[in-house]
Amino acid sequence: MTDETVDTEETPKKASKLPLIIGLVLALAGGGGGFYAVYSGMILGSDSAPTEEESVETHEAEPLPDITYVGLDPFVVSLTSGGSSEYLRFRAQLEVPSAHKEEVERVLPRVVDVLNGYLRALSPADIESPDALVKLRSQMLRRVQIVTGQERVSDLLVMEFVLN
C-alpha cells in the first residue's frame, strides 16, 4: 500500500451517547410526573376525594329487601339410564317477597310435583357436567315461576344436590 491510500482512509467517528442519555432521563422524569399526577388525583381524579373517615360516615347500608324463604322438604328422585339406577337427593328454598309467602305455601305441593317431574327426566350425564347446577337451577326456577307466578318467586336456592 502506498502512503496516499493510507491517508485517505479515515476511521469512522463514534456517535455520541449524550442524546440517548438525555432522552432516557426525560422519559423517566415524564413517567414519574405522570404517575404522581394520576396518583395524587390531579389527573383523572375527582374534585374532592373523601377521606377515610368521611367515606365511612356517609356510606349507609341499603335496607335488605322484604323477602322470606319457603323451604321445600327434601326429596329423593331416582334417575334411570340404561338399567342402572342412581338417586338424586334434592332440597331447596324459594325466595319469596313477604307479601306472597302464604300464596306460595298454598301451591307448594304443585311446585314439588313440577320439580320432581323435571328432575326425574334427567339422566346422570346431565347432572355430572361442571356447569349443570347453574343450568338446572335456572330451568327449575322457570318452572316454579310458571306454577306460582313470575312476581311471587324471585329465586330458587339449592340447599342440597347429592347424586348417589
Side-chain angles (χ1 to χ4, degrees), residues 82-160:
S84 67
S85 252
E86 294 189 31
Y87 296 96
L88 172 68
R89 181 170 167 84
F90 180 78
R91 185 171 61 97
Q93 301 238 349
L94 302 175
E95 184 178 291
V96 178
S98 295
H100 299 294
K101 179 180 180 183
E102 292 177 8
E103 297 169 354
V104 172
E105 286 177 340
R106 276 198 311 255
V107 294
L108 217 50
R110 191 172 293 275
V111 169
V112 171
D113 178 57
V114 166
L115 292 176
N116 197 3
Y118 174 70
L119 291 172
R120 179 109 170 92
L122 298 173
S123 68
D126 296 333
I127 295 173
E128 291 171 349
S129 70
D131 60 344
L133 192 57
V134 175
K135 291 177 184 176
L136 295 174
R137 184 174 167 263
S138 65
Q139 289 292 324
M140 289 186 286
L141 176 61
R142 181 69 191 127
R143 284 167 170 75
V144 168
Q145 287 176 336
I146 289 171
V147 170
T148 62
Q150 184 79 22
E151 69 281 349
R152 289 189 180 96
V153 176
S154 55
D155 204 358
L156 180 130
L157 305 166
V158 176
M159 308 306 287
E160 188 175 356

